[in-house]
Amino acid sequence: MSFAFLASLLLTQYAPPPPTSNLSPRPNFNRTCAEWGLQSHACLVDTVRALDNARRKEGIGPIYLPRNWTNLTPADQIFVITNLERIARSEHPLPGLTASLNRVAKRGAARGTDPILRSPAGPALSIWAEGVGPLASDYGWMYDDGWNGPLRRTPNLACTSATATGCWGHRDNILAEWSRRLLAGRPGTWYLIAGAAQVPTITRTVLPIDRSITEDSDAMIVTAVEQPPHYVYTWAQAVAEGAGSAAKGWNPAAVPRPLEEAGTWIRTHARDVLVGVIVVGLLALTATRQGRRPRPKKVYRLSRFRRRRSRP
């Protein structure tokens, strides 16, 4: 997994302080997603579980996705998980995505770099990652964005040393304090807009499981404009589907592990299970017919009954 970082307006301390060190994902969702597939339920569950474990170390509650999460586009998913990270740390959510910024984000994702907005009216922040989906990218941006020892073991391409300014840049951009810092002192009314996109990048074979997977290139950009924008997807829509709500939202990792693994196995081997059930049923039916013996016939005797006259 690789990350890049760009802030068109480089400011210090425009976001809450980052963790003191990187956190390795527990469980390792990269292996799970490679083994079961990027669109598998097991991949989703282990990625959410890793995020929840990392959030627990920050004293933050679990993630609650909107109920229609699996029906959202990757761009919408990137937007939703970004806002879930923001509201968990008392930051205002981004209002919505616009079609124009989605196109900018798509160009960045296709090039494998941070989206670049030419001549923005206000501050512009962007991020990019290559990995196994929006939730995995979010984990890297939020918890694996600092210096990790040797340069080859540091996913953040802008974090070239322990003191480099690019370290934790993705996390800073996600949690940027727009109203209090980035837009503070600017005259007029400003509206936040965001854009996100995902494009498939490379297909590689993962050993030792010998499975080919296609990694995704995820990108997002946020800026501010002075004219009221038209949003193509809003945070209000995500909230209506339960995003961020323990009562209405969905946390795939909340399912007990044994039940989840059993369900995953059944879904993966549904065809084999169905064929096996049919074969066993046919064998049982054949054995029953072959072992059936004719029942002995009952012999009935004809009895003579005398009629008795009843006395008056």
Side-chain angles (χ1 to χ4, degrees), residues 203-249:
T203 301
R204 60 186 179 89
T205 301
V206 181
L207 298 176
I209 60 177
D210 193 25
R211 181 188 292 271
S212 296
I213 65 170
T214 300
E215 292 189 336
D216 298 318
S217 179
D218 299 325
M220 186 172 184
I221 184 169
V222 183
T223 189
V225 294
E226 296 180 274
Q227 299 297 324
H230 172 70
Y231 298 115
V232 294
Y233 181 73
T234 66
W235 176 240
Q237 290 176 264
V239 171
E241 290 291 339
S245 170
K248 299 180 180 179

Short mmCIF file of all heavy atoms in Angstrom, two decimals, residues 203-249:
data_model
loop_
_atom_site.label_atom_id
_atom_site.label_comp_id
_atom_site.label_asym_id
_atom_site.label_seq_id
_atom_site.Cartn_x
_atom_site.Cartn_y
_atom_site.Cartn_z
N THR A 203 -2.81 -5.45 -11.11
CA THR A 203 -3.18 -6.80 -10.72
C THR A 203 -1.90 -7.56 -10.39
O THR A 203 -0.98 -7.61 -11.20
CB THR A 203 -3.93 -7.53 -11.85
OG1 THR A 203 -5.10 -6.79 -12.17
CG2 THR A 203 -4.31 -8.94 -11.41
N ARG A 204 -1.85 -8.09 -9.19
CA ARG A 204 -0.64 -8.81 -8.78
C ARG A 204 -1.03 -10.11 -8.11
O ARG A 204 -2.14 -10.27 -7.61
CB ARG A 204 0.20 -7.96 -7.83
CG ARG A 204 -0.49 -7.54 -6.55
CD ARG A 204 0.37 -6.58 -5.75
NE ARG A 204 -0.28 -6.14 -4.52
CZ ARG A 204 -0.17 -6.78 -3.37
NH1 ARG A 204 0.55 -7.88 -3.28
NH2 ARG A 204 -0.78 -6.32 -2.29
N THR A 205 -0.09 -11.05 -8.10
CA THR A 205 -0.30 -12.35 -7.48
C THR A 205 0.26 -12.33 -6.07
O THR A 205 1.41 -11.94 -5.85
CB THR A 205 0.38 -13.47 -8.29
OG1 THR A 205 -0.16 -13.45 -9.62
CG2 THR A 205 0.13 -14.82 -7.65
N VAL A 206 -0.58 -12.72 -5.12
CA VAL A 206 -0.18 -12.72 -3.71
C VAL A 206 0.22 -14.13 -3.32
O VAL A 206 -0.53 -15.08 -3.49
CB VAL A 206 -1.34 -12.23 -2.82
CG1 VAL A 206 -0.92 -12.21 -1.36
CG2 VAL A 206 -1.78 -10.84 -3.26
N LEU A 207 1.43 -14.27 -2.81
CA LEU A 207 1.92 -15.55 -2.32
C LEU A 207 1.84 -15.56 -0.80
O LEU A 207 1.93 -14.51 -0.17
CB LEU A 207 3.37 -15.76 -2.78
CG LEU A 207 3.57 -15.82 -4.31
CD1 LEU A 207 5.05 -15.93 -4.62
CD2 LEU A 207 2.81 -16.99 -4.92
N PRO A 208 1.68 -16.71 -0.12
CA PRO A 208 1.68 -18.05 -0.71
C PRO A 208 0.32 -18.55 -1.16
O PRO A 208 0.17 -19.70 -1.53
CB PRO A 208 2.18 -18.90 0.46
CG PRO A 208 1.62 -18.20 1.66
CD PRO A 208 1.65 -16.74 1.34
N ILE A 209 -0.71 -17.69 -1.12
CA ILE A 209 -2.05 -18.18 -1.46
C ILE A 209 -2.27 -18.24 -2.96
O ILE A 209 -3.27 -18.79 -3.42
CB ILE A 209 -3.13 -17.29 -0.81
CG1 ILE A 209 -2.99 -15.84 -1.30
CG2 ILE A 209 -3.05 -17.34 0.69
CD1 ILE A 209 -4.06 -14.93 -0.77
N ASP A 210 -1.34 -17.66 -3.75
CA ASP A 210 -1.39 -17.76 -5.20
C ASP A 210 -2.72 -17.27 -5.76
O ASP A 210 -3.40 -17.96 -6.51
CB ASP A 210 -1.12 -19.20 -5.65
CG ASP A 210 -0.84 -19.27 -7.16
OD1 ASP A 210 -0.39 -18.25 -7.71
OD2 ASP A 210 -1.07 -20.33 -7.75
N ARG A 211 -3.10 -16.06 -5.38
CA ARG A 211 -4.34 -15.46 -5.86
C ARG A 211 -4.04 -14.09 -6.46
O ARG A 211 -3.27 -13.32 -5.89
CB ARG A 211 -5.36 -15.32 -4.73
CG ARG A 211 -6.69 -14.71 -5.18
CD ARG A 211 -7.56 -14.43 -3.98
NE ARG A 211 -8.00 -15.65 -3.35
CZ ARG A 211 -9.11 -16.31 -3.67
NH1 ARG A 211 -9.88 -15.85 -4.63
NH2 ARG A 211 -9.45 -17.41 -3.04
N SER A 212 -4.63 -13.80 -7.59
CA SER A 212 -4.43 -12.51 -8.24
C SER A 212 -5.48 -11.52 -7.75
O SER A 212 -6.67 -11.84 -7.72
CB SER A 212 -4.54 -12.65 -9.77
OG SER A 212 -3.50 -13.46 -10.26
N ILE A 213 -5.05 -10.33 -7.34
CA ILE A 213 -5.97 -9.30 -6.88
C ILE A 213 -5.66 -8.00 -7.61
O ILE A 213 -4.53 -7.77 -8.04
CB ILE A 213 -5.89 -9.07 -5.36
CG1 ILE A 213 -4.51 -8.52 -4.97
CG2 ILE A 213 -6.20 -10.33 -4.59
CD1 ILE A 213 -4.43 -8.04 -3.54
N THR A 214 -6.67 -7.19 -7.77
CA THR A 214 -6.51 -5.88 -8.39
C THR A 214 -6.62 -4.82 -7.32
O THR A 214 -7.65 -4.70 -6.66
CB THR A 214 -7.59 -5.64 -9.46
OG1 THR A 214 -7.48 -6.65 -10.47
CG2 THR A 214 -7.42 -4.27 -10.11
N GLU A 215 -5.55 -4.07 -7.11
CA GLU A 215 -5.58 -3.01 -6.11
C GLU A 215 -6.24 -1.77 -6.70
O GLU A 215 -6.31 -1.59 -7.92
CB GLU A 215 -4.16 -2.69 -5.64
CG GLU A 215 -3.53 -3.82 -4.83
CD GLU A 215 -2.23 -3.40 -4.18
OE1 GLU A 215 -1.59 -2.46 -4.69
OE2 GLU A 215 -1.85 -4.01 -3.17
N ASP A 216 -6.72 -0.92 -5.81
CA ASP A 216 -7.43 0.28 -6.23
C ASP A 216 -6.61 1.53 -5.92
O ASP A 216 -5.82 1.55 -4.98
CB ASP A 216 -8.78 0.39 -5.50
CG ASP A 216 -9.70 -0.77 -5.84
OD1 ASP A 216 -9.75 -1.15 -7.02
OD2 ASP A 216 -10.34 -1.30 -4.92
N SER A 217 -6.83 2.55 -6.72
CA SER A 217 -6.23 3.86 -6.50
C SER A 217 -7.33 4.79 -6.02
O SER A 217 -8.28 5.08 -6.75
CB SER A 217 -5.60 4.38 -7.80
OG SER A 217 -5.03 5.66 -7.60
N ASP A 218 -7.23 5.24 -4.76
CA ASP A 218 -8.25 6.09 -4.15
C ASP A 218 -7.71 7.51 -3.98
O ASP A 218 -6.56 7.69 -3.54
CB ASP A 218 -8.65 5.55 -2.77
CG ASP A 218 -9.25 4.15 -2.87
OD1 ASP A 218 -9.94 3.88 -3.86
OD2 ASP A 218 -9.01 3.34 -1.95
N ALA A 219 -8.53 8.48 -4.28
CA ALA A 219 -8.10 9.88 -4.17
C ALA A 219 -9.26 10.74 -3.69
O ALA A 219 -10.43 10.43 -3.92
CB ALA A 219 -7.59 10.40 -5.51
N MET A 220 -8.89 11.84 -3.01
CA MET A 220 -9.91 12.78 -2.52
C MET A 220 -9.31 14.18 -2.48
O MET A 220 -8.10 14.35 -2.25
CB MET A 220 -10.39 12.37 -1.13
CG MET A 220 -11.55 13.23 -0.61
SD MET A 220 -12.24 12.57 0.92
CE MET A 220 -13.61 13.70 1.15
N ILE A 221 -10.15 15.17 -2.71
CA ILE A 221 -9.73 16.56 -2.66
C ILE A 221 -10.84 17.39 -2.02
O ILE A 221 -12.02 17.12 -2.22
CB ILE A 221 -9.38 17.09 -4.07
CG1 ILE A 221 -8.86 18.53 -3.99
CG2 ILE A 221 -10.56 16.98 -5.02
CD1 ILE A 221 -8.25 19.03 -5.30
N VAL A 222 -10.45 18.37 -1.22
CA VAL A 222 -11.40 19.26 -0.54
C VAL A 222 -10.94 20.69 -0.74
O VAL A 222 -9.74 20.99 -0.64
CB VAL A 222 -11.49 18.95 0.97
CG1 VAL A 222 -12.55 19.83 1.63
CG2 VAL A 222 -11.80 17.48 1.20
N THR A 223 -11.87 21.58 -1.00
CA THR A 223 -11.55 23.00 -1.12
C THR A 223 -12.77 23.81 -0.70
O THR A 223 -13.81 23.26 -0.32
CB THR A 223 -11.12 23.35 -2.55
OG1 THR A 223 -10.63 24.70 -2.57
CG2 THR A 223 -12.27 23.23 -3.53
N ALA A 224 -12.64 25.12 -0.77
CA ALA A 224 -13.73 26.02 -0.40
C ALA A 224 -14.00 26.99 -1.55
O ALA A 224 -13.08 27.44 -2.22
CB ALA A 224 -13.38 26.80 0.87
N VAL A 225 -15.29 27.28 -1.77
CA VAL A 225 -15.69 28.20 -2.84
C VAL A 225 -16.63 29.24 -2.25
O VAL A 225 -17.22 29.06 -1.18
CB VAL A 225 -16.38 27.45 -3.99
CG1 VAL A 225 -15.41 26.52 -4.69
CG2 VAL A 225 -17.59 26.66 -3.48
N GLU A 226 -16.79 30.34 -2.98
CA GLU A 226 -17.62 31.44 -2.49
C GLU A 226 -19.05 31.39 -3.02
O GLU A 226 -19.91 32.12 -2.54
CB GLU A 226 -16.98 32.77 -2.88
CG GLU A 226 -15.63 33.00 -2.21
CD GLU A 226 -15.00 34.32 -2.59
OE1 GLU A 226 -14.33 34.37 -3.64
OE2 GLU A 226 -15.20 35.30 -1.84
N GLN A 227 -19.31 30.53 -4.01
CA GLN A 227 -20.65 30.41 -4.57
C GLN A 227 -21.31 29.12 -4.05
O GLN A 227 -20.64 28.09 -3.91
CB GLN A 227 -20.60 30.37 -6.10
CG GLN A 227 -20.02 31.63 -6.72
CD GLN A 227 -20.86 32.87 -6.41
OE1 GLN A 227 -22.09 32.80 -6.36
NE2 GLN A 227 -20.20 34.00 -6.21
N PRO A 228 -22.61 29.15 -3.76
CA PRO A 228 -23.29 27.93 -3.30
C PRO A 228 -23.15 26.80 -4.33
O PRO A 228 -23.48 26.98 -5.50
CB PRO A 228 -24.76 28.37 -3.17
CG PRO A 228 -24.69 29.86 -2.98
CD PRO A 228 -23.51 30.32 -3.80
N PRO A 229 -22.65 25.64 -3.92
CA PRO A 229 -22.40 24.55 -4.87
C PRO A 229 -23.61 23.64 -5.03
O PRO A 229 -24.57 23.70 -4.26
CB PRO A 229 -21.25 23.79 -4.21
CG PRO A 229 -21.51 23.98 -2.74
CD PRO A 229 -22.13 25.34 -2.57
N HIS A 230 -23.55 22.80 -6.06
CA HIS A 230 -24.55 21.75 -6.25
C HIS A 230 -23.87 20.42 -5.91
O HIS A 230 -22.92 20.00 -6.57
CB HIS A 230 -25.06 21.72 -7.69
CG HIS A 230 -25.93 20.53 -7.98
ND1 HIS A 230 -27.19 20.37 -7.44
CD2 HIS A 230 -25.69 19.41 -8.73
CE1 HIS A 230 -27.71 19.23 -7.85
NE2 HIS A 230 -26.82 18.63 -8.64
N TYR A 231 -24.37 19.75 -4.89
CA TYR A 231 -23.78 18.49 -4.45
C TYR A 231 -24.46 17.30 -5.14
O TYR A 231 -25.69 17.28 -5.30
CB TYR A 231 -23.92 18.33 -2.94
CG TYR A 231 -23.21 19.39 -2.13
CD1 TYR A 231 -23.93 20.29 -1.33
CD2 TYR A 231 -21.82 19.50 -2.15
CE1 TYR A 231 -23.28 21.26 -0.58
CE2 TYR A 231 -21.16 20.47 -1.41
CZ TYR A 231 -21.90 21.34 -0.63
OH TYR A 231 -21.25 22.31 0.11
N VAL A 232 -23.66 16.32 -5.53
CA VAL A 232 -24.21 15.11 -6.13
C VAL A 232 -24.42 14.01 -5.09
O VAL A 232 -25.14 13.04 -5.34
CB VAL A 232 -23.30 14.60 -7.27
CG1 VAL A 232 -23.27 15.60 -8.42
CG2 VAL A 232 -21.88 14.32 -6.76
N TYR A 233 -23.78 14.14 -3.96
CA TYR A 233 -24.00 13.24 -2.83
C TYR A 233 -23.66 14.01 -1.56
O TYR A 233 -22.63 14.71 -1.51
CB TYR A 233 -23.13 11.98 -2.93
CG TYR A 233 -23.35 11.01 -1.78
CD1 TYR A 233 -24.52 10.26 -1.70
CD2 TYR A 233 -22.40 10.84 -0.78
CE1 TYR A 233 -24.73 9.37 -0.66
CE2 TYR A 233 -22.60 9.95 0.26
CZ TYR A 233 -23.77 9.22 0.32
OH TYR A 233 -23.98 8.34 1.36
N THR A 234 -24.51 13.91 -0.55
CA THR A 234 -24.35 14.73 0.64
C THR A 234 -24.19 13.89 1.89
O THR A 234 -24.60 12.71 1.94
CB THR A 234 -25.55 15.68 0.83
OG1 THR A 234 -26.72 14.89 1.10
CG2 THR A 234 -25.78 16.52 -0.42
N TRP A 235 -23.65 14.52 2.90
CA TRP A 235 -23.52 13.87 4.20
C TRP A 235 -24.90 13.62 4.80
O TRP A 235 -25.11 12.62 5.50
CB TRP A 235 -22.67 14.72 5.13
CG TRP A 235 -22.56 14.19 6.52
CD1 TRP A 235 -22.95 14.79 7.67
CD2 TRP A 235 -22.00 12.92 6.92
NE1 TRP A 235 -22.68 13.99 8.76
CE2 TRP A 235 -22.10 12.83 8.32
CE3 TRP A 235 -21.45 11.85 6.21
CZ2 TRP A 235 -21.65 11.73 9.04
CZ3 TRP A 235 -21.01 10.74 6.93
CH2 TRP A 235 -21.11 10.69 8.32
N ALA A 236 -25.85 14.50 4.52
CA ALA A 236 -27.21 14.30 5.02
C ALA A 236 -27.81 13.00 4.50
O ALA A 236 -28.54 12.31 5.22
CB ALA A 236 -28.09 15.48 4.62
N GLN A 237 -27.50 12.63 3.26
CA GLN A 237 -27.98 11.36 2.71
C GLN A 237 -27.37 10.18 3.46
O GLN A 237 -28.05 9.18 3.73
CB GLN A 237 -27.63 11.27 1.22
CG GLN A 237 -28.42 12.20 0.33
CD GLN A 237 -27.97 12.12 -1.12
OE1 GLN A 237 -27.15 12.91 -1.57
NE2 GLN A 237 -28.49 11.15 -1.84
N ALA A 238 -26.09 10.28 3.78
CA ALA A 238 -25.43 9.20 4.52
C ALA A 238 -26.01 9.07 5.92
O ALA A 238 -26.23 7.95 6.42
CB ALA A 238 -23.93 9.46 4.58
N VAL A 239 -26.27 10.21 6.57
CA VAL A 239 -26.85 10.18 7.92
C VAL A 239 -28.24 9.57 7.90
O VAL A 239 -28.63 8.82 8.81
CB VAL A 239 -26.89 11.61 8.50
CG1 VAL A 239 -27.67 11.65 9.81
CG2 VAL A 239 -25.46 12.12 8.74
N ALA A 240 -29.01 9.86 6.85
CA ALA A 240 -30.35 9.29 6.74
C ALA A 240 -30.31 7.77 6.66
O ALA A 240 -31.28 7.09 7.04
CB ALA A 240 -31.05 9.86 5.51
N GLU A 241 -29.19 7.21 6.19
CA GLU A 241 -29.03 5.76 6.11
C GLU A 241 -28.32 5.19 7.33
O GLU A 241 -27.95 4.02 7.34
CB GLU A 241 -28.27 5.38 4.83
CG GLU A 241 -29.06 5.60 3.55
CD GLU A 241 -30.21 4.63 3.41
OE1 GLU A 241 -30.18 3.56 4.06
OE2 GLU A 241 -31.15 4.93 2.66
N GLY A 242 -28.09 6.03 8.35
CA GLY A 242 -27.54 5.53 9.60
C GLY A 242 -26.07 5.77 9.83
O GLY A 242 -25.51 5.27 10.81
N ALA A 243 -25.40 6.52 8.96
CA ALA A 243 -23.96 6.76 9.13
C ALA A 243 -23.69 7.43 10.47
O ALA A 243 -24.30 8.43 10.82
CB ALA A 243 -23.44 7.65 8.00
N GLY A 244 -22.77 6.85 11.24
CA GLY A 244 -22.38 7.41 12.52
C GLY A 244 -23.33 7.13 13.66
O GLY A 244 -23.11 7.61 14.77
N SER A 245 -24.37 6.35 13.42
CA SER A 245 -25.38 6.08 14.45
C SER A 245 -25.32 4.64 14.91
O SER A 245 -25.44 3.72 14.09
CB SER A 245 -26.78 6.39 13.91
OG SER A 245 -27.78 5.94 14.80
N ALA A 246 -25.15 4.45 16.22
CA ALA A 246 -25.13 3.09 16.76
C ALA A 246 -26.49 2.43 16.64
O ALA A 246 -26.60 1.20 16.54
CB ALA A 246 -24.67 3.12 18.21
N ALA A 247 -27.56 3.24 16.65
CA ALA A 247 -28.91 2.69 16.59
C ALA A 247 -29.35 2.36 15.17
O ALA A 247 -30.05 1.37 14.95
CB ALA A 247 -29.90 3.67 17.23
N LYS A 248 -28.93 3.18 14.20
CA LYS A 248 -29.42 3.00 12.83
C LYS A 248 -28.34 2.52 11.85
O LYS A 248 -28.67 2.07 10.76
CB LYS A 248 -29.99 4.33 12.32
CG LYS A 248 -31.16 4.85 13.13
CD LYS A 248 -31.66 6.17 12.55
CE LYS A 248 -32.83 6.72 13.35
NZ LYS A 248 -33.30 8.03 12.79
N GLY A 249 -27.07 2.66 12.23
CA GLY A 249 -26.00 2.31 11.31
C GLY A 249 -25.66 0.83 11.30
O GLY A 249 -26.33 0.01 11.94
#
